[in-house]
């Protein structure tokens, strides 16, 4: 697949760059024609320039293009059967540029013979179209566009999502909506569902999609029948850039300085040149033909033993370098070709992004329940992104082929010091940990009109591959009696998951197909739309893991002699597994049985829906219907252990209704009910155990997990003072049955973070969002060019622990895991010098939220609030073709802290246990982009 995509990429680039790259002498006008009351696109509307023969018809997306227009000012006339014709004047066309103009059309009130033509100007029409699209969403949703993203300091979609009302981000990549855990969200890319990218949780890592390749991002908070039913917080829809409006080449370069990292001593394992390109050179992978577990534990010859040990016990040197500044590069090529004879159009967008960062988390505190550790963590990260989107319109039809590939290479080294009071030892611990993540997604989509009455069919086929590869995660522990002052000795006598060399690979392929049909018609003398469709999604995952390590050969009495063994264990890390020791037969290869931890899984989801979009009156609109989903899942450990095999098959009926009442052209009242669900992810159902050396805990699933059923109720008031501005107030209530949550199973010496179903849970909340220019305070240009943005969410949840599930809990009720009691986003934007200089300041704060529920011994784990303040200054240069951006991110540099609230005072203090606490540093960066 990668080779095919590479070949397509090369051919497209060669084809598109073969043309003349000089500036065009003409310009173009393009946009969409939509119904002003529903924002439905109008297929086959005619758009022509008055006084000329130039004309175009809108395609199945309502899109039109008028090309080859000499610079100047024009008036266009738009006609569509059953709608009032419209002229739009004062449209300025400039050389070599595209003038974007979306047009709204109103239905004709009578069939009078005399045509009535509505007159409008370019500015009036642009504002009116934006109003219509804002107001006419069929559900309660929030989002952002490419233009807003360009004005923010955000590098990827995770950063962008921080700005959306009611959304917060954990670990800089996982999204929480309306205070609900990330596992209650669903994500779609270019109209197709995204799989979980994580091996040990149900979550999508949003940092893998670069923000400069995003056309729009929307969070839908209330369900409609045409959407997947597996979400409760929000459905996050990312659309990458489609057919370009004009030819362009753009490139960008940037560098950043982090106060905690850049210029500081950077420790790591061996570094290879290929690491900078996001790929390991292959030497860390388990060699092909490596003997299986059964042969290793049944005994090896000395030659086999030594050969295998050398293949996994490689360079344990700790290398010292200087952390370099963050660097990032972007390149985008856009090409479009119009056939003026038949109106057909072909276009392509090709994009590449690259980012490398070397970050240091110094003095990470871990101080709870017997251990008192300080960690220094050094992470070398490379991010590669590529996008290739092809589109072709012919007649009123449209075909697109969208491809996204992203790869994240995180090579981390951890160095730990401290004491473990429970074991009575001082500790030195080292971990070399490489994680390679990749996402490949291809979507072929078609949109076609049927007949002449506005009916249309949409279909898509999608393939995605997710890879999580951890080759040779090496962990070594040294210890000595507390305060003894004796030399530290390595634990090479026994093998456990906390000191084994881990080889793990997750590979998942997903295949999906969908077909949707919509037909407009009249019901009770009002416009209505019937929509129906079918979707099928098949996922297949394999997770393979091995735990290997070198332990002292206990069968040899000479080696077990304390006078020999003590100096061996006291060797420094870089000589502990040196070839001379292995050749001497000191170590034998050992392996922990991973047959319970490796698993195969597959699932099939078949869905069908039917819905009606009714205009009951001129002001009242009802979108209602039902979705039916059939789900079949199987998870089987390699061991075939009976209590670890999962087979579930069930059908859910999911009704929904969204009611909108338009008090005026600027005000909406909304109410919504929907039934949704949350299904356990493969990992949550698997008995596989993964030791997380940072959390100092095992992570394990539960094969007995049930799906959650959620009833959702929403109300919202929306005011649109001007185009692009909004004031909204929302209220919501969610009722869960069998909510899926995490808790500390802490009855054993090593705690296990696992999953369970709470009996029930309730969530109630309110949201306030404001995006408004300040000219209402004082009418001058300064205030008109200043926009205030703020959203506030206040949420309360109550979850009830099960009382008869065989699980020990400290409490019977608590907050829902992952839920934040409040979320604050705020910002101010200002444009100077006729939009040539832009300033943007952004603030975010998330209330204290429950991270892991308490088990029998430990208290709940909470994430403490932190204030995040970002600012950016952008200056357009070279007649607007270039832009310089100066960014300051996380200026306050508050600590990121997860803690046990032992004294129940809801704040971090001396009486609490610390799971982790560190300051990430502030980042200051400079970037330059230029577009030809």
């Amino acid at each position: 697949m990668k080779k095919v995509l590479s070949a397509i990429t090369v051919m497209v680039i060669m084809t598109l760059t073969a043309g003349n790259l000089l500036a065009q002498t003409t310009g173009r006008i393009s946009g969409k024609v939509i119904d002003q009351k529903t924002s439905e696109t109008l297929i086959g509307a005619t758009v022509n320039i008055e006084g000329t023969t130039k004309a175009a018809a809108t395609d199945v997306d309502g899109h039109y293009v008028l090309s080859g227009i000499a610079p100047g000012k024009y008036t266009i006339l738009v006609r569509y059967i059953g709608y009032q014709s419209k002229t739009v004047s004062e449209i300025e066309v400039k050389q070599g540029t595209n003038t974007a103009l979306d047009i709204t059309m109103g239905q004709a009130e009578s069939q009078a013979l005399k045509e009535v033509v509505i007159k409008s100007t370019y500015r009036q029409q642009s504002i009116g179209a934006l109003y219509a699209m804002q107001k006419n969403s069929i559900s309660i949703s929030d989002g952002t566009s490419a233009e807003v993203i360009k004005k923010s300091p955000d590098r990827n979609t995770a950063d962008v999502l921080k700005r959306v009302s009611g959304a917060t981000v954990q670990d800089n990549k996982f999204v929480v909506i309306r205070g609900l855990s990330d596992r209650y969200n669903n994500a779609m890319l270019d109209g197709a569902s995204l799989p979980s990218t994580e091996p040990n949780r149900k979550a999508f890592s949003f940092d893998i999609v670069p923000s400069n390749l995003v056309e729009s991002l929307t969070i839908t908070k209330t369900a409609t029948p045409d959407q997947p039913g597996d979400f409760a917080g929000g459905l996050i829809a990312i659309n990458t850039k489609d057919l370009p409006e004009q030819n362009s080449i753009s490139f960008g370069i940037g560098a950043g300085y982090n106060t905690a990292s850049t210029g500081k001593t950077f420790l790591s394992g061996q570094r290879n040149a290929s690491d900078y390109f996001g790929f390991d050179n292959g030497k860390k992978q388990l060699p092909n033909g490596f003997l299986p577990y059964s042969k290793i534990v049944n005994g090896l010859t000395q030659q086999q033993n030594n050969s295998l040990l050398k293949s996994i016990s490689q360079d344990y040197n700790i290398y010292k370098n200087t952390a370099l500044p963050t660097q990032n590069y972007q390149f985008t090529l856009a090409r479009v070709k119009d056939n003026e004879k038949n109106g057909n159009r072909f276009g392509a967008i090709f994009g590449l992004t690259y980012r490398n960062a070397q970050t240091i988390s110094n003095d990470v505190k871990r101080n709870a329940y017997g251990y008192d550790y300080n960690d220094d963590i050094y992470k070398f990260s490379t991010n590669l992104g590529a996008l290739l989107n092809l589109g072709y319109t012919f007649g009123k039809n449209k075909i697109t082929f969208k491809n996204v590939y992203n790869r994240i290479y995180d090579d981390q080294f951890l160095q730990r010091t401290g004491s473990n009071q429970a074991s009575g030892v001082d500790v030195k611990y080292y971990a070399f940990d490489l994680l390679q993540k990749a996402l490949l997604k291809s979507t072929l989509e078609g949109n076609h009109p049927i007949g002449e009455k506005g009916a249309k069919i949409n279909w898509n086929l999608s393939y995605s591959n997710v890879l999580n590869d951890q080759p040779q995660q090496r962990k070594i522990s040294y210890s000595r009696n507390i305060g003894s002052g004796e030399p530290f000795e390595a634990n090479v006598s026994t093998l456990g998951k906390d000191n084994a060399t881990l080889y793990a690979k997750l590979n998942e392929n997903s295949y999906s197909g969908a077909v949707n049909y919509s037909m407009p018609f009249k019901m009770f003398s009002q416009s209505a739309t019937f929509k129906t469709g079918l979707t099928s999604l098949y996922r297949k995952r394999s997770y393979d893991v091995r735990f290997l390590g070198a332990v002292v050969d206990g069968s040899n009495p000479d080696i077990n002699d304390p006078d020999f063994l003590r100096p061996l264990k006291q060797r420094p890390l870089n000589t502990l597994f040196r070839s001379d020791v292995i050749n001497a037969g000191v170590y034998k290869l050992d392996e922990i049985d991973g047959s319970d931890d490796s698993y195969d899984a597959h699932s099939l989801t078949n869905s069908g829906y039917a819905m009606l979009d009714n205009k009951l009156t001129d002001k009242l609109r009802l979108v209602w219907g039902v979705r039916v989903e059939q789900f079949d899942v199987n998870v089987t450990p390699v061991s075939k252990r009976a209590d670890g095999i999962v087979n579930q098959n069930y059908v859910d009926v999911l009704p929904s209704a969204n009611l909108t009442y338009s008090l005026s052209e600027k005000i909406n009242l909304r109410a919504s009910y929907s039934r949704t669900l949350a299904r356990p992810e493969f990992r949550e159902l698997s008995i596989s155990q993964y030791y997380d050396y940072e959390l100092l805990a095992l992570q394990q699933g539960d094969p007995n997990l049930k799906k959650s059923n959620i009833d959702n109720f929403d109300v919202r008031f929306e005011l649109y003072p001007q185009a692009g501005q909004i004031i909204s107030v929302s209220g919501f209530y969610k009722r869960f049955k069998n909510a899926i949550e995490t808790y500390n199973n802490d009855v054993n010496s090593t705690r296990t973070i696992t999953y369970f179903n709470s009996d029930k849970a309730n969530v109630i909340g309110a949201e306030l969002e404001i995006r408004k220019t300040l000219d209402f305070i004082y009418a001058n240009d300064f205030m008109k060019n200043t926009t205030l943005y703020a959203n506030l969410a206040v949420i309360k949840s109550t979850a009830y622990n099960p009382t008869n599930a065989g699980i020990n809990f400290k409490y019977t009720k608590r907050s829902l895991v992952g839920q934040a009691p409040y979320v604050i986003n705020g910002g101010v934007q200002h444009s100077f010098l006729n939009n040539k200089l832009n300033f943007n300041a952004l603030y975010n704060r998330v209330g204290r939220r429950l991270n892991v529920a308490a088990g029998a011994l430990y208290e709940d784990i909470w994430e403490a609030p932190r204030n995040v303040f970002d600012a950016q200054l952008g200056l357009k240069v070279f007649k607007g073709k270039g832009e310089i951006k100066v960014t300051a991110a996380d200026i306050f540099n508050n600590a990121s802290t997860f803690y046990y609230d032992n004294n129940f005072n809801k704040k971090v203090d001396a009486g609490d246990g610390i799971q982790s606490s560190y300051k990430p540093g502030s980042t200051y960066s400079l970037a330059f982009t230029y577009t030809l």
Side-chain angles (χ1 to χ4, degrees):
M1 186 68 181
K2 293 181 181 178
K3 291 182 179 179
V4 173
L5 286 176
S6 299
I8 293 173
T9 302
V10 172
M11 288 189 292
V12 170
I13 293 173
M14 291 177 65
T15 301
L16 296 177
T17 55
N20 185 3
L21 298 182
L22 297 176
Q24 299 176 3
T25 58
T26 60
R28 68 169 66 195
I29 304 170
S30 67
K32 285 187 176 182
V33 179
I34 61 175
D35 185 305
Q36 68 182 19
K37 290 187 176 181
T38 66
S39 290
E40 287 290 323
T41 57
L42 301 181
I43 305 169
T46 58
V47 184
N48 71 278
I49 300 178
E50 290 193 337
T52 74
T53 59
K54 283 192 177 294
T58 57
D59 62 19
V60 70
D61 285 336
H63 192 272
Y64 72 92
V65 178
L66 295 164
S67 58
I69 307 172
K73 286 193 174 182
Y74 295 90
T75 298
I76 64 173
L77 173 64
V78 189
R79 289 189 175 96
Y80 189 68
I81 296 174
Y83 286 73
Q84 293 175 321
S85 300
K86 176 174 283 189
T87 63
V88 183
S89 59
E90 300 179 17
I91 306 169
E92 185 175 2
V93 176
K94 296 181 180 180
Q95 177 178 302
T97 63
N98 176 73
T99 301
L101 175 61
D102 292 330
I103 303 164
T104 59
M105 301 281 284
Q107 294 189 21
E109 296 180 1
S110 69
Q111 301 298 319
L113 294 177
K114 184 177 180 181
E115 181 182 29
V116 176
V117 180
I118 306 299
K119 295 184 178 181
S120 178
T121 65
Y122 172 78
R123 176 172 172 77
Q124 290 170 341
Q125 193 52 218
S126 297
I127 292 173
L130 183 56
Y131 263 134
M133 287 184 282
Q134 283 180 319
K135 284 186 59 189
N136 294 332
S137 169
I138 65 175
S139 59
I140 295 175
S141 62
D142 294 286
T144 189
S145 66
E147 287 302 312
V148 175
I149 293 170
K150 283 170 61 177
K151 294 180 180 180
S152 76
D154 303 328
R155 300 187 311 270
N156 54 60
T157 51
D159 292 335
V160 173
L161 282 162
K162 293 178 183 177
R163 322 296 179 191
V164 180
S165 179
T168 59
V169 176
Q170 290 181 318
D171 300 333
N172 295 314
K173 54 189 174 184
F174 304 121
V175 176
V176 173
I177 299 172
R178 286 184 159 178
L180 292 170
S181 167
D182 53 3
R183 66 122 15 259
Y184 285 111
N185 301 325
N186 204 338
M188 301 184 75
L189 180 65
D190 294 325
S193 293
L194 282 167
S196 174
T197 57
E198 304 307 299
N200 292 303
R201 64 193 295 181
K202 181 186 184 297
F204 182 78
S205 182
F206 284 94
D207 59 341
I208 70 176
V209 183
S211 60
N212 70 305
L213 301 181
V214 174
E215 178 65 28
S216 65
L217 187 152
T218 303
I219 297 178
T220 300
K221 299 176 181 177
T222 60
T224 54
D226 56 342
Q227 299 169 335
D230 187 6
F231 76 92
L235 176 66
I236 304 161
I238 305 167
N239 290 307
T240 56
K241 294 186 176 180
D242 206 330
L243 282 168
E245 297 296 345
Q246 63 188 52
N247 295 341
S248 67
I249 298 176
S250 67
F251 61 87
I253 183 172
Y257 173 86
N258 180 271
T259 56
S261 306
T262 308
K264 307 291 196 303
T265 299
F266 189 85
L267 304 183
S268 72
Q270 186 178 17
R271 179 73 55 233
N272 303 299
S274 62
D275 299 355
Y276 287 89
F277 297 95
F279 293 86
D280 174 54
N281 63 2
K283 292 184 178 179
K284 293 181 180 178
Q285 298 286 345
L286 198 64
N288 291 330
F290 198 90
L291 292 180
Y293 167 79
S294 58
K295 291 190 177 181
I296 290 174
V297 297
N298 286 331
L300 302 170
T301 68
Q302 193 64 52
Q303 182 178 0
Q304 286 177 319
N305 182 78
N306 293 355
S307 176
L308 293 175
L309 279 175
K310 289 177 183 178
S311 69
I312 67 168
S313 301
Q314 298 182 18
D315 190 346
Y316 277 86
N317 286 296
I318 300 172
Y319 295 87
K320 287 186 178 182
N321 293 288
T322 300
L324 298 176
T326 299
Q327 52 184 312
N328 56 80
Y329 307 92
Q330 299 174 355
F331 172 80
T332 305
L333 171 68
R335 285 292 177 267
V336 61
K337 178 65 176 178
D338 292 306
N339 188 326
E340 294 190 21
K341 292 182 180 180
N342 56 24
N344 294 354
R345 189 169 180 241
F346 173 77
I349 299 177
F350 174 73
L352 288 174
T353 63
Y354 174 87
R355 184 174 188 270
N356 180 265
Q358 299 171 31
T359 57
I360 302 172
S361 301
N362 265 326
D363 199 23
V364 179
K365 301 292 185 185
R366 306 189 194 279
N367 179 10
Y369 294 95
Y371 52 79
D372 184 3
Y373 296 150
N374 289 331
D375 290 355
D376 292 323
I377 303 173
Y378 306 83
K379 183 178 286 187
F380 176 97
S381 298
T382 298
N383 186 311
L384 289 173
L387 175 143
L388 174 62
N389 286 354
L390 309 176
Y392 182 61
T393 61
F394 53 101
K396 299 173 185 178
N397 302 273
K398 182 178 181 182
I399 302 287
T400 59
F401 182 43
K402 293 186 174 183
N403 304 274
V404 172
Y405 178 76
N406 196 280
R407 186 176 184 87
I408 295 179
Y409 181 96
D410 286 339
D411 192 5
Q412 178 172 290
F413 172 68
L414 176 143
Q415 183 173 262
R416 172 176 295 159
T417 58
S419 61
N420 186 333
Q421 296 287 340
S423 301
V425 295
D426 292 326
V427 171
K428 285 185 178 180
Y429 189 83
Y430 306 92
F432 301 83
D433 191 4
L434 170 61
L435 175 61
Q436 301 178 100
K437 295 194 296 187
L439 168 68
L440 170 66
K441 189 166 184 64
S442 297
T443 303
L444 180 66
E445 182 177 21
N447 289 278
H448 313 278
I450 300 176
E452 299 297 328
K453 296 184 178 181
K456 56 185 177 181
I457 189 168
N458 162 269
W459 58 267
N460 70 68
L461 297 171
S462 182
Y463 166 76
S464 66
N465 174 262
V466 170
L467 174 70
N468 265 271
D469 186 14
Q470 278 186 292
Q472 206 181 68
Q473 181 200 77
R474 296 172 292 171
K475 305 176 290 291
I476 302 296
S477 177
Y478 285 77
S479 63
R480 68 181 181 190
N481 292 328
I482 288 181
S484 66
E486 298 173 352
F488 283 88
E489 296 185 1
N491 177 15
V492 288
S493 298
T494 58
L495 188 66
K497 290 185 178 180
D498 61 340
N499 70 335
T501 298
L502 168 71
Y503 293 87
K505 179 174 286 188
L506 181 153
N507 189 70
E508 180 176 320
N509 292 299
S510 299
Y511 309 85
S512 68
V515 60
N516 301 281
Y517 171 78
S518 65
M519 178 185 69
F521 65 101
K522 290 287 185 179
M523 179 181 283
F524 310 122
S525 300
Q526 296 287 338
S527 62
T529 302
F530 170 73
K531 189 174 182 181
T532 187
L534 298 170
T535 303
S536 187
L537 169 63
Y538 178 73
R539 297 171 55 199
K540 184 174 179 60
R541 173 186 290 188
S542 64
Y543 181 65
D544 299 306
V545 60
R546 298 188 71 173
F547 305 92
L548 298 159
V551 295
V552 172
D553 187 352
S555 64
N556 189 328
D558 294 333
I559 293 175
N560 278 294
D561 187 309
D563 291 333
F564 176 86
L565 198 56
R566 189 176 296 110
L568 171 71
K569 292 183 174 182
Q570 292 173 3
R571 280 185 171 224
L573 180 61
N574 63 334
T575 66
L576 188 61
F577 301 108
R578 208 160 56 183
S579 295
D580 63 322
V581 185
I582 294 175
N583 290 335
V586 172
Y587 294 120
K588 71 172 182 178
L589 178 64
D590 197 6
E591 181 172 4
I592 300 171
D593 184 4
S595 60
D596 279 349
D597 302 296
S598 301
Y599 64 90
D600 294 306
H602 60 84
S603 69
L604 177 64
T605 308
N606 293 312
S607 308
Y609 72 90
M611 60 184 284
L612 281 172
D613 183 353
N614 290 119
K615 290 286 290 185
L616 302 179
T617 69
D618 285 342
K619 294 181 178 293
L620 189 62
R621 182 184 186 189
L622 175 65
V623 180
W624 60 287
V626 65
R627 184 179 185 89
V628 178
E629 295 192 351
Q630 182 266 334
F631 182 69
D632 184 13
V633 62
N634 174 270
V635 181
T636 304
V638 171
S639 67
K640 301 295 194 295
R641 203 173 102 185
D643 62 351
I645 296 176
V646 177
N647 280 298
Q648 296 181 9
N649 191 321
Y650 47 83
V651 176
D652 290 282
V653 179
L654 307 172
S656 65
N658 286 267
L659 186 67
T660 304
Y661 183 75
S662 298
L663 285 174
S664 70
E665 291 185 357
K666 296 184 177 183
I667 298 177
N668 280 340
L669 293 178
R670 296 183 184 269
S672 171
Y673 164 77
S674 61
R675 164 69 65 88
T676 59
L677 52 85
R679 299 188 184 97
E681 178 59 35
F682 292 144
R683 179 63 186 94
E684 295 170 336
L685 292 167
S686 169
I687 60 173
S688 177
Q689 280 192 344
Y690 173 83
Y691 179 75
D692 191 315
Y693 58 86
E694 292 186 79
L695 295 179
L696 298 158
L698 293 166
Q699 291 183 296
Q700 183 177 8
D702 181 357
N704 298 310
L705 275 183
K706 304 173 185 176
K707 66 181 174 71
S708 301
N709 292 317
I710 307 113
D711 290 302
N712 308 276
F713 304 85
D714 291 80
V715 293
R716 180 161 169 160
F717 168 86
E718 299 172 340
L719 168 63
Y720 299 93
Q722 297 179 33
Q725 302 180 30
I726 184 173
I727 299 173
S728 70
V729 180
S730 306
F732 60 90
Y733 173 77
K734 296 179 182 293
R735 185 173 60 217
F736 290 76
K737 181 180 179 182
N738 297 322
I740 301 171
E741 303 187 81
T742 54
Y743 83 104
N744 264 327
N745 186 350
D746 50 15
V747 295
N748 297 318
S749 57
T750 300
R751 67 188 180 96
T752 300
I753 299 174
T754 189
Y755 302 90
F756 73 104
N757 291 113
S758 57
D759 282 345
K760 61 180 179 178
N762 302 312
V763 177
I764 186 169
E767 294 173 314
L768 169 66
E769 180 177 14
I770 299 173
R771 183 184 294 275
K772 183 76 178 73
T773 58
L774 300 185
D775 50 352
F776 71 94
I777 298 175
Y778 188 76
N780 60 18
D781 288 342
F782 182 88
M783 290 296 193
K784 186 177 181 180
N785 292 325
T786 304
T787 300
L788 177 68
Y789 168 73
N791 64 65
L792 170 67
V794 179
I795 308 144
K796 179 176 176 56
S797 69
T798 305
Y800 296 86
N801 288 327
T803 56
N804 57 353
I807 305 173
N808 296 315
F809 290 101
K810 288 180 74 72
Y811 309 107
T812 57
K813 69 176 184 177
R814 49 174 169 74
S815 297
L816 195 68
V817 170
Q819 173 262 319
Y822 64 85
V823 178
I824 302 171
N825 284 307
V828 61
Q829 301 171 359
H830 184 79
S831 298
F832 303 86
L833 305 175
N834 196 25
N835 207 36
K836 292 180 180 178
L837 183 64
N838 291 284
F839 173 76
N840 193 6
L842 301 161
Y843 171 78
N844 170 261
R845 180 180 171 90
V846 180
R848 189 182 81 130
R849 54 189 165 189
L850 185 61
N851 181 254
V852 179
L857 303 176
Y858 298 159
E859 294 295 337
D860 296 320
I861 300 176
W862 296 87
E863 181 181 0
R866 63 187 305 264
N867 300 296
V868 180
F869 182 72
D870 304 329
Q872 183 179 85
L873 190 65
L875 174 64
K876 294 181 179 179
V877 295
F878 303 119
K879 298 182 180 180
K881 293 184 177 181
E883 185 172 19
I884 299 171
K885 287 185 179 180
V886 180
T887 303
D890 203 356
I891 296 172
F892 294 155
N893 190 25
N894 286 175
S896 173
T897 302
F898 293 81
Y899 70 105
Y900 300 88
D901 190 10
N902 294 333
N903 52 19
F904 311 106
N905 63 0
K906 298 184 179 182
K907 61 183 180 180
V908 184
D909 54 28
D912 297 324
I914 304 299
Q915 179 178 276
S916 71
S917 181
Y918 72 99
K919 289 190 173 185
S922 303
T923 300
Y924 302 90
S925 59
L926 177 67
F928 173 72
T929 58
Y930 188 81
T931 301
L932 296 171

